[in-house]
Amino acid sequence: MSHRTSGSRILALVNYRLRITINDGRTLVGQMLAFDKHMNLVLGDCEEHRRTKDGKTEKRVLGLVVLRGENVVSMSVEAPPPASAESKPSANVASMAGPGLGRPAGRGLPMAPNAGLAGPVRGLGGPGAATMAPPVAYGRPPMAAGMPPFPGGPPPMGKP
């Protein structure tokens, strides 16, 4: 027999219909949709059952409920999860098809044989390759005669 942790036991109850007693005596019955490490629970299609002082049981439909784990006293299984749509036999897909011909919907561009991450396509979008090329001379630009030097550069030759 394999040893299962508490988390995996509760995980096995997801989608089951549970009866949960909380610390003020009320009982909630609903389908467990989710839980966390604090045992906070999310219950779907939830109903509240409580006993009145005269011994009658009142039922109230709540719907979707988020229940704080601190309030949970006990949990018990009411019913197994509902049968899924996958387990039910379905009609043949071909018999359900309507008239017409199925084609993939594109965006107006012809399909390229090796489409993918090959790079940009010439003529579409952005500037040309020559515009994006780095400048030929790296470093500081050449100084023209008679122009003042740029800030932070050395003083011009021949001047103190």
Side-chain angles (χ1 to χ4, degrees):
M1 185 168 140
S2 66
H3 176 69
R4 293 168 68 177
T5 64
S6 172
S8 66
R9 273 188 259 155
I10 295 174
L11 183 62
L13 296 177
V14 171
N15 291 330
Y16 275 72
R17 192 149 181 87
L18 301 179
R19 176 176 298 272
I20 298 169
T21 305
I22 57 177
N23 56 10
D24 64 358
R26 289 180 290 171
T27 302
L28 301 175
V29 178
Q31 183 179 7
M32 184 170 73
L33 302 177
F35 69 97
D36 66 2
K37 65 181 180 180
H38 305 290
M39 216 165 90
N40 297 324
L41 302 173
V42 178
L43 301 173
D45 300 328
C46 190
E47 300 170 347
E48 174 193 51
H49 300 273
R50 66 184 184 105
R51 287 197 179 260
T52 58
K53 292 179 183 177
D54 56 346
K56 293 181 185 174
T57 302
E58 290 182 356
K59 176 181 157 186
R60 190 166 65 153
V61 177
L62 301 177
L64 187 68
V65 171
V66 178
L67 180 63
R68 187 174 172 93
E70 190 176 50
N71 298 326
V72 175
V73 174
S74 69
M75 293 171 50
S76 61
V77 175
E78 277 281 304
S84 65
E86 297 169 358
S87 64
K88 294 179 184 175
S90 62
N92 187 2
V93 175
S95 66
M96 293 172 41
L101 179 65
R103 290 189 185 157
R107 289 196 267 164
L109 297 174
M111 292 296 294
N114 288 332
L117 300 175
V121 178
R122 180 182 286 279
L124 290 179
T131 309
M132 294 301 292
V136 176
Y138 288 97
R140 121 178 149 175
M143 292 177 51
M147 288 185 65
F150 59 90
M157 304 262 305
K159 293 187 178 178

